[in-house]
Amino acid sequence: MAAATRGLRLPRAGHGISVLTAAPSALQPHRQVHHAVIPHGRSGRSSVSGIVATVFGATGFLGRYVVNRLGRIGSQVIIPYRCDQYDLMYLRPMGDLGQLLFMEWDCRDKESIRRAVEHSNVVINLIGKEWETKNFKFEDEFVNIPQSIAQISKEAGVEKFIHISHLNASMKSPSKYLRNKAVGEKTVREQFPDAVILKPSEMFGREDRFLNHYANMRWFGGVPLVSLGKKTVKQPVYVVDVAKAIINAIKNPDAKGKTYALAGPHRYLLYDMVEYVYAVAHHPFIPYPLPRPLYHLVARFFEMNPFEPWLTRDKVDRFHTTDMTFPDLPGFEELGIEPTPLEQKAIEVLRRHRRFRWLDAELEEAKPKTQPM
């Protein structure tokens, strides 16, 4: 407990001094800088990278990969949480002893946010959920809370603020989720002009709610798709690539104030992509067209679930939105990352959906048809 307290009381480097890259000789002599924020040691989890990062939303899908990447390079990570202690257990081994600091926080209490960011030089906002609750609407998750975090981070002198949005964030979107994501981008930029905004498309990975969502539809006798999925084009991105992009954006001094569009290397018709999911999982693919109003009616039934709804009307709209392209925005290439194609990692996600006799079967040569960029 004492070690955790000492970790949370690190003095801040002065304004204009980047503790991410500064060497001791480059520091102003009248500023006291704690040794924990001066990079030293060999690279690895037992070294010190100089990064002290507060990660909001670390217990989510993307958060675990970001914390893992920060921990393996020797960063000190402050993880504000609202969940049960048991939901943090898988995060604890991701950093060296004393490098991961957990603290309870109240997202509506500005003083609580201030305590979480006051000793950090990097703040990462990953907060978000796919559905609304009676206590937290999309406007709270994607606009109000990020606004408070960005404002307080700016006041606290945080050097780098990274905000995660969505590739399809737009005020014209039929999805309330995506509309609020667009408002959140604008709000964060107003509060923290040098913020780095990352816009990933739908992410896939072992714990995702994208490929797994479609694979689980087999229990309903088939896969309902609006217009049979032949009017929707998706460009999914691997979650590990997004986590790498966040780390590289922290290290890159030229990333400040930029917006990055992060999408996979290939584009697919939704129909072709879901067909490939079932080919890899060795299950028969039974698609059928379902009109959007009827799809919404079915989703409304799932929304009555008092816990985590498996399907919502907003999710129907979001999954049937064609991924936008932003040729004028920087992407993975500018961050030094080669995006991973769906065909290379889909088996990691979908193997658990196979029957026992196909569990260790070789990956078939079947590949989804790609669409022109």
Side-chain angles (χ1 to χ4, degrees):
M1 189 66 183
T5 306
R6 287 196 298 272
L8 283 173
R9 292 181 178 175
L10 298 179
R12 168 174 302 287
H15 293 288
I17 303 172
S18 175
V19 294
L20 306 183
T21 57
S25 59
L27 299 174
Q28 296 178 7
H30 65 281
R31 295 285 187 181
Q32 290 187 353
V33 181
H34 198 282
H35 67 85
V37 296
I38 301 176
H40 62 271
R42 297 181 179 180
S43 60
R45 60 183 281 143
S46 296
S47 63
V48 175
S49 69
I51 298 173
V52 181
T54 299
V55 183
F56 291 95
T59 56
F61 171 45
L62 175 59
R64 67 188 70 191
Y65 292 92
V66 174
V67 172
N68 186 33
R69 290 272 158 184
L70 287 169
R72 69 168 61 179
I73 63 173
S75 304
Q76 187 172 77
V77 187
I78 300 165
I79 303 175
Y81 69 92
R82 298 174 52 250
C83 58
D84 190 276
Q85 286 277 355
Y86 288 102
D87 295 329
L88 303 171
M89 291 177 65
Y90 61 87
L91 294 175
R92 294 186 183 277
M94 292 183 180
D96 205 6
L97 184 64
Q99 289 294 76
L100 300 187
L101 307 171
F102 299 88
M103 60 177 294
E104 293 189 52
W105 76 299
D106 180 357
C107 57
R108 291 194 171 105
D109 179 9
K110 291 192 175 182
E111 190 57 36
S112 176
I113 299 174
R114 198 180 309 278
R115 288 196 300 271
V117 305
E118 62 183 349
H119 301 297
S120 300
N121 49 38
V122 175
V123 173
I124 304 171
N125 175 40
L126 308 176
I127 292 174
K129 242 181 183 179
E130 290 191 339
W131 64 93
E132 295 181 304
T133 66
K134 66 178 181 179
N135 294 320
F136 293 97
K137 304 299 181 184
F138 284 143
E139 185 178 3
D140 297 316
E141 298 169 16
F142 302 135
V143 182
N144 298 336
I145 296 175
Q147 180 182 25
S148 297
I149 295 174
Q151 177 187 354
I152 294 170
S153 297
K154 185 67 175 177
E155 294 172 355
V158 171
E159 296 178 16
K160 215 152 211 181
F161 185 87
I162 297 180
H163 175 71
I164 303 299
S165 183
H166 194 285
L167 187 70
N168 296 327
S170 170
M171 291 300 299
K172 298 180 180 179
S173 174
S175 165
K176 186 179 178 182
Y177 176 104
L178 297 175
R179 291 197 302 271
N180 280 281
K181 280 283 192 181
V183 177
E185 281 186 31
K186 183 179 178 181
T187 303
V188 166
R189 185 67 75 196
E190 289 173 353
Q191 297 295 333
F192 203 118
D194 286 338
V196 181
I197 297 178
L198 305 182
K199 296 166 65 73
S201 58
E202 297 296 340
M203 293 179 284
F204 66 91
R206 291 178 185 268
E207 309 88 356
D208 71 18
R209 291 190 178 95
F210 185 55
L211 298 186
N212 284 313
H213 173 79
Y214 284 111
N216 283 324
M217 280 186 169
R218 68 185 185 275
W219 300 111
F220 298 94
V223 184
L225 297 168
V226 176
S227 300
L228 209 58
K230 295 190 176 181
K231 293 183 179 180
T232 305
V233 180
K234 306 302 284 185
Q235 196 172 351
V237 63
Y238 187 38
V239 64
V240 174
D241 291 340
V242 179
K244 289 179 182 177
I246 292 174
I247 304 303
N248 289 6
I250 293 173
K251 296 178 179 179
N252 185 358
D254 297 327
K256 285 188 176 182
K258 292 185 179 179
T259 300
Y260 291 85
L262 307 180
H266 301 144
R267 292 174 68 84
Y268 316 94
L269 280 177
L270 182 60
Y271 176 91
D272 294 332
M273 189 194 74
V274 179
E275 183 181 31
Y276 176 70
V277 166
Y278 278 79
V280 173
H282 285 273
H283 287 287
F285 178 49
I286 309 173
Y288 57 90
L290 192 64
R292 193 180 296 262
L294 188 55
Y295 213 149
H296 281 181
L297 183 63
V298 174
R300 183 70 185 90
F301 173 77
F302 282 98
E303 288 175 7
M304 297 170 65
N305 184 345
F307 302 104
E308 178 182 334
W310 185 74
L311 183 67
T312 65
R313 288 166 290 180
D314 195 89
K315 190 170 185 176
V316 171
D317 292 333
R318 184 160 55 90
F319 278 12
H320 288 87
T321 297
T322 292
D323 285 343
M324 295 189 284
T325 56
F326 297 91
D328 298 331
L329 290 182
F332 279 119
E333 184 178 352
E334 285 75 10
L335 292 171
I337 298 170
E338 183 178 352
T340 305
L342 173 68
E343 299 88 338
Q344 185 175 329
K345 294 294 182 179
I347 184 61
E348 293 184 4
V349 183
L350 299 170
R351 187 183 298 276
R352 70 187 188 90
H353 293 279
R354 290 180 169 185
R355 295 187 181 93
F356 179 76
R357 63 176 295 190
W358 301 109
L359 193 61
D360 295 322
E362 293 294 328
L363 189 62
E364 299 291 340
E365 290 298 323
K367 294 183 179 180
K369 299 176 184 177
T370 59
Q371 299 294 307
M373 301 292 283

